[in-house]
Amino acid sequence: MQLLFSLLVAAASVLAHAGEHDHAHEKRLYPQTRLTPPSRPLEWSDVNIIHTTDSHGWLLGHQHKSFPEPNYSGDFGDFASFVAHMKEIALEKDVDLLLIDTGDLHDGTGLSDGYPAGQVDGHETNKFIRELPYDVMSIGNHELYVYADTYDMYTNFAPYLHGRYLSSNVNITVFDEHGNNVSVPVGSRYKKFTTRKGRRVTSLGIIFDFTGNDVNTTVQPVEDMVKEQWFAEAIAEEPDFFLLIGHMPVRNDHWPAVYNAVRAIHPLTPILIFGGHSHIRDCLTRSAIRRRSMALESGRYMETVGWMSAKLDVHEHENVTFTRRYLDPNRITYEYHTTKNNFTFDTPLGRQITEGLEQLSYWDPYPSNGSILTLFVAEAMPYALTINNSRISIPNLMFVNGGELRFDVLAGPFTKNDQLTSAPFTDSFLYIPNITLGVATQVLPALDGGGWPDRREQHAARETEQYARGDVGMRYNAWLEEMHRRAVAHGRRAQENLTLGYVTSDTCPGVGDDTPHTPMPYYAVPNYIQSNVPDVAEDTPIDLVFVNFIQSDVLQILNRVQSETKFSDADVQTYSPLLANAILGLYAEKYWN
């Protein structure tokens, strides 16, 4: 099969010309699968907020027909039309409606990451995102792995938001007008603004304690940020409410440090918190004494659009009434909540974005034969990495972390977009030569924490380190596992007339999911995976091959499982010029034609 991906034109040109044709009142084809409509209307209040996060380039929507993919089939043009209609409803109701995002705009699909040589992740897709009327946005860790990406956000994205792209604890080093290095915020530290209804808002945009950022970028620990003089000045004046947004999970992270710092000055001011990063749907309230705050997290990959409403026009000693909802982003959902139909839903901007995106892109459990993890490490890597490789005759054992694969390979045509969606990371492949097979086969069990008296402590420490470097697979998979366990315990594995999808349980009142589903089956995903063990003697020297993301882990383990050699970074060499995001494409060209 030929890979059909091509970046034909710059998105600016696409946006300029995509809307030239008159498509008024034309019926759209999507969705082509029968979808369950929402269970009830949204609850509006004084202040209402639409939330996106961790979109990772999924602006064309999920296009495969295997459920739960059709639940998320709405593209970013559909979303733009939805926002426009919701703004109209807010005007009719005479209430405030804000639109916010909490980071990670790219690294996830060929649309955002399949750029030609010399271009930058997300540069073209970001042009569509900035067309929407976002009130505030915050930076994510995937804007920080590569300096060129961060610099692009600093020069070509943040200026378009006029101070509303927030990076409270993230700096970038650039040249000033005199040619000197200076460290400056990527966006703004904070933003104070007034809503259409005259409510005063103070907003900050914070990222978790991320350690995987590139050189010449700086992430300040959250606990240190709240001690800064600028932070004290930002929160000194009491607004009508604080809008704290950030690329940080609403649970089990550093939001309490920010919340408590604000509460120390303003004990009763409403605080609305929006998080991200762990890719889950989650909600909690923060005040056992008086409900004056709520925190919401709205999933990943444009599989969720979050909704929060808050009745703020109450006495400061009364509870604020909050509601939240997790919407499936598809046209059935959008049309239901805007009372439009397939002929009246699309707006000119929405159509323009959809057509522009289409022009921009032509477009089982492990281990098992049906698992993408098995396919990647046991078949695709051994094939692709030995193409034109002088070490092809030397036996090897290959390792990657389970998080290297970000999405399933689904039934249907396999395009370049699928390739980069499943494995988007540009990790390089390294190796250490002359490791005996007997030593090499001890690496995987040790990486997974087995065989050592203190394995639990080591495993926890390694998970903490990986999380700090941006790996959220462990948290997301734990959430899916709990969803599956809950369903089995309550006998809800196969409810009639319900399609597969998310079934959320959080700690906020009521039901959060907008559309009812049967939860997806869960299969454990290992933290690390390896290729098939070569059929050679235990004392045979082989190449130990791994991605650079786990280099420190591999070196640490090698120095534990043997004592003859003290391995260091100096022993690590480049195995292949190929990057991880090219592996599946080469395998598909060879074996799937």
Side-chain angles (χ1 to χ4, degrees):
M1 178 192 66
Q2 262 192 325
L3 302 182
L4 301 177
F5 181 85
S6 174
L7 291 173
L8 299 176
V9 291
S13 174
V14 168
L15 280 169
H17 297 290
E20 291 179 353
H21 304 290
D22 182 10
H23 294 285
H25 305 297
E26 180 182 332
K27 184 178 181 180
R28 278 281 301 280
L29 294 178
Y30 293 104
Q32 299 180 38
T33 305
R34 184 176 179 84
L35 298 175
T36 305
S39 56
R40 61 213 185 277
L42 294 171
E43 297 181 56
W44 289 75
S45 197
D46 306 324
V47 173
N48 309 275
I49 300 178
I50 297 172
H51 178 214
T52 56
T53 188
D54 294 87
S55 55
H56 287 283
W58 284 86
L59 304 189
L60 269 176
H62 294 239
Q63 299 177 351
H64 286 276
K65 295 181 180 179
S66 305
F67 273 99
E69 293 294 280
N71 299 334
Y72 324 125
S73 55
D75 63 39
F76 207 66
D78 297 328
F79 179 67
S81 296
F82 171 69
V83 170
H85 293 310
M86 294 293 279
K87 288 283 189 180
E88 293 174 356
I89 294 173
L91 284 172
E92 294 169 2
K93 292 178 177 291
D94 197 26
V95 296
D96 281 322
L97 175 64
L98 304 181
L99 176 63
I100 67 168
D101 182 88
T102 50
D104 276 7
L105 301 182
H106 57 78
D107 285 352
T109 71
L111 188 70
S112 62
D113 312 329
Y115 52 90
Q119 292 192 18
V120 177
D121 273 355
H123 178 81
E124 299 301 329
T125 48
N126 284 348
K127 294 176 182 178
F128 296 98
I129 293 172
R130 71 191 191 201
E131 289 292 312
L132 268 69
Y134 278 99
D135 291 279
V136 282
M137 305 180 76
S138 64
I139 198 167
N141 58 294
H142 281 266
E143 280 76 66
L144 297 171
Y145 280 112
V146 178
Y147 179 83
D149 296 345
T150 313
Y151 188 73
D152 192 59
M153 300 301 290
Y154 173 72
T155 56
N156 295 314
F157 191 81
Y160 283 85
L161 271 78
H162 306 291
R164 299 192 181 206
Y165 185 68
L166 305 180
S167 61
S168 299
N169 58 331
V170 180
N171 273 26
I172 183 172
T173 300
V174 296
F175 292 117
D176 65 12
E177 64 272 19
H178 305 295
N180 300 315
N181 288 341
V182 292
S183 181
V184 296
V186 178
S188 302
R189 293 274 186 238
Y190 61 93
K191 179 67 177 179
K192 296 188 177 186
F193 64 95
T194 302
T195 69
R196 187 188 68 84
K197 291 292 293 175
R199 294 183 175 87
R200 295 165 297 122
V201 183
T202 296
S203 186
L204 296 98
I206 303 153
I207 193 172
F208 69 102
D209 291 354
F210 178 50
T211 63
N213 52 299
D214 204 357
V215 294
N216 294 319
T217 66
T218 306
V219 177
Q220 184 181 33
V222 178
E223 298 277 358
D224 295 337
M225 181 203 71
V226 298
K227 300 172 185 176
E228 294 283 352
Q229 181 61 33
W230 71 258
F231 180 86
E233 294 171 357
I235 67 170
E237 180 183 13
E238 182 178 21
D240 291 307
F241 65 94
F242 284 94
L243 180 58
L244 306 181
I245 71 170
H247 200 71
M248 183 161 59
V250 297
R251 200 182 303 269
N252 301 323
D253 216 300
H254 292 289
W255 278 118
V258 186
Y259 176 85
N260 292 336
V262 173
R263 275 285 173 255
I265 309 299
H266 306 289
L268 298 177
T269 307
I271 302 177
L272 281 58
I273 300 173
F274 292 85
H277 183 56
S278 63
H279 293 180
I280 71 173
R281 297 178 173 185
D282 200 9
C283 177
L284 71 159
T285 55
R286 294 185 181 276
S287 179
I289 300 174
R290 188 175 292 109
R291 271 188 56 194
R292 307 279 294 176
S293 176
M294 178 178 274
L296 185 72
E297 187 173 351
S298 303
R300 63 168 199 173
Y301 301 173
M302 289 305 289
E303 295 172 350
T304 303
V305 170
W307 170 267
M308 180 190 290
S309 68
K311 185 171 179 54
L312 300 184
D313 293 343
V314 296
H315 191 274
E316 67 175 11
H317 292 287
E318 295 178 348
N319 287 342
V320 172
T321 301
F322 292 97
T323 74
R324 58 76 178 82
R325 195 79 62 83
Y326 309 110
L327 280 64
D328 289 353
N330 60 63
R331 287 178 65 90
I332 300 300
T333 294
Y334 294 154
E335 291 171 7
Y336 176 91
H337 288 303
T338 58
T339 65
K340 301 295 180 180
N341 59 48
N342 212 20
F343 293 93
T344 62
F345 176 75
D346 295 291
T347 63
L349 177 61
R351 281 198 173 277
Q352 190 174 329
I353 289 175
T354 294
E355 294 172 12
L357 289 169
E358 288 173 348
Q359 290 184 42
L360 187 64
S361 173
Y362 265 7
W363 70 265
D364 296 28
Y366 176 88
S368 75
N369 292 335
S371 167
I372 186 177
L373 298 176
T374 301
L375 171 73
F376 188 82
V377 76
E379 298 183 35
M381 279 176 54
Y383 165 72
L385 293 181
T386 53
I387 296 174
N388 298 325
N389 193 323
S390 61
R391 303 188 68 81
I392 188 172
S393 62
I394 301 172
N396 60 63
L397 194 58
M398 300 180 174
F399 297 88
V400 295
N401 54 304
E404 196 72 36
L405 282 302
R406 296 277 282 192
F407 205 74
D408 295 330
V409 172
L410 300 169
F414 183 82
T415 67
K416 184 66 177 280
N417 184 59
D418 294 314
Q419 171 192 329
L420 296 178
T421 295
S422 299
F425 298 127
T426 55
D427 291 335
S428 57
F429 288 94
L430 311 173
Y431 81 106
I432 301 175
N434 300 318
I435 304 295
T436 63
L437 179 66
V439 170
T441 53
Q442 296 179 61
V443 173
L444 181 64
L447 282 170
D448 282 331
W452 302 95
D454 56 347
R455 61 186 180 275
R456 289 184 180 176
E457 290 79 4
Q458 292 170 357
H459 192 59
R462 189 175 294 117
E463 284 190 353
T464 299
E465 179 188 355
Q466 286 185 321
Y467 177 79
R469 282 155 42 193
D471 189 344
V472 298
M474 292 165 289
R475 291 201 182 189
Y476 178 72
N477 289 327
W479 181 65
L480 290 181
E481 183 178 16
E482 172 60 20
M483 186 187 306
H484 174 76
R485 186 201 61 77
R486 222 173 32 245
V488 171
H490 292 88
R492 292 202 304 263
R493 280 297 323 141
Q495 293 186 23
E496 291 185 7
N497 302 321
L498 292 184
T499 57
L500 291 175
Y502 291 127
V503 180
T504 310
S505 175
D506 56 32
T507 56
C508 290
V511 177
D513 291 326
D514 192 46
T515 303
H517 291 294
T518 289
M520 297 169 287
Y522 173 78
Y523 303 109
V525 177
N527 293 323
Y528 302 90
I529 51 180
Q530 72 176 24
S531 60
N532 296 327
V533 178
D535 186 15
V536 296
E538 290 280 299
D539 60 352
T540 303
I542 70 168
D543 289 341
L544 191 70
V545 183
F546 49 90
V547 289
N548 64 301
F549 187 78
I550 63 172
Q551 176 175 332
S552 61
D553 297 331
V554 170
L555 288 171
Q556 179 185 14
I557 293 302
L558 279 178
N559 290 326
R560 296 192 61 188
V561 300
Q562 58 81 50
S563 57
E564 292 183 7
T565 304
K566 180 71 172 178
F567 291 99
S568 68
D569 292 337
D571 298 298
V572 179
Q573 304 175 45
T574 298
Y575 189 74
S576 168
L578 290 177
L579 300 179
N581 66 353
I583 298 298
L584 284 175
L586 290 169
Y587 180 83
E589 285 181 323
K590 173 68 174 179
Y591 293 102
W592 296 341
N593 193 27

